[in-house]
Amino acid sequence: SGSSCFAMRLAAVLLAVAAAWDQDGHEAIGMTTMSALQAKALAQVKRLLGGKDVVDVAAWAHKVNKKYPWTTALHFQEQKDWQCDTVDKSVCPDNRCLTSALRHFYGKLAHKPELSTIEYPDGLQFTDADSLKFLINLIGDLHQPMHLGFEGDSYGRNISLSFRTASTSLFDMWDKDITQSVMKDNAGFWWSGWTHIHRVKGEYERDKELWDKNGVAMFDTWAQESLTLACDTAYRNPVTKDKLSPQQAGSKFDVSTQTFEAWKTQMLNKILLAGARTAIVLNDILKQREATTLGQGTGVKIEGEEDEKIIKRAPPPHWMNAFGTNMCIMAVVVGLFLFVMKKQSGGAPKVTLKADGTFSDANKDAHKRI
């Protein structure tokens, strides 16, 4: 039946997710993003996240997955096996899939809720700050090719690999093994500041122009890039170009040094592109005047995030604060004026406001007539 089919797909997603792009991968994406944030966007990020930045919250959404397992489906876009020409968005029950989730959280932040609606169960509510954290994480996941993996092998989870004498899966290889191997083999490189927008400056400028022209349609373009990478590279032996598929029991694909280097190059480039594109999206949202009305705090209590206040209401707009300040200043000035006039006349001055906006002292006007 339809319900049992959906349950099987959800189980596959839950099995596939360990921590989409492990935390180190997400943090590398966040560092690239930070190098390209404009001043207004950076100020709003700091305000919304209570002093934290993109790196600090890069993996936050995966903590939410553990508390609310239904949110795991938001990180994946299931594809039919070897259907690589166009991203299949048909498997997205209740809009709970990667491309719909990107539109949903972008829409919440950009005041365009009509882009995609997702109903939250259990009385759960995500604040604006939560939506920002989700968007940061999901743009990163969009660039991990196995998040547009095939239904027949559970996003590559059922494809067994042998890497440096250890057993792993194709999903885990792209999700964490490559990252951890680079950090172990070449820590100097990993911490050398390679995660900077200058490494993909040309792509950044090109993508910015395309985003300004096409907006959220670029999410689909970037999804197609990842699907193409999955079909042409991640799901193939990069040396022989043979397809990788679930093997018979006991059979594993041996990841050679040449294969690892080819995959590593692609993965590091995707990290940089993910960071650059996250910056493009955040700069677009947070440069707008409406961004100042976005609310801080969180609607989700997560272990290890106790420093975040759980609030659900946005602060008053800045113009209201400015109006209140000006009214206070006016009250003080008028009070001082009345006090001085009283001292000079020996009595309470009769002061009225003329039509032209100036003040009239009835006592002084009477003396002039005498």
Side-chain angles (χ1 to χ4, degrees), residues 127-141:
T127 64
D128 295 329
D130 293 335
S131 296
L132 176 63
K133 289 180 282 188
F134 256 116
L135 188 62
I136 290 168
N137 186 274
L138 293 176
I139 295 176
D141 287 345

Side-chain angles (χ1 to χ4, degrees), residues 141-154:
D141 287 345
L142 182 64
H143 291 77
Q144 208 277 52
M146 303 314 297
H147 280 251
L148 287 93
F150 301 154
E151 62 177 345
D153 52 51
S154 185

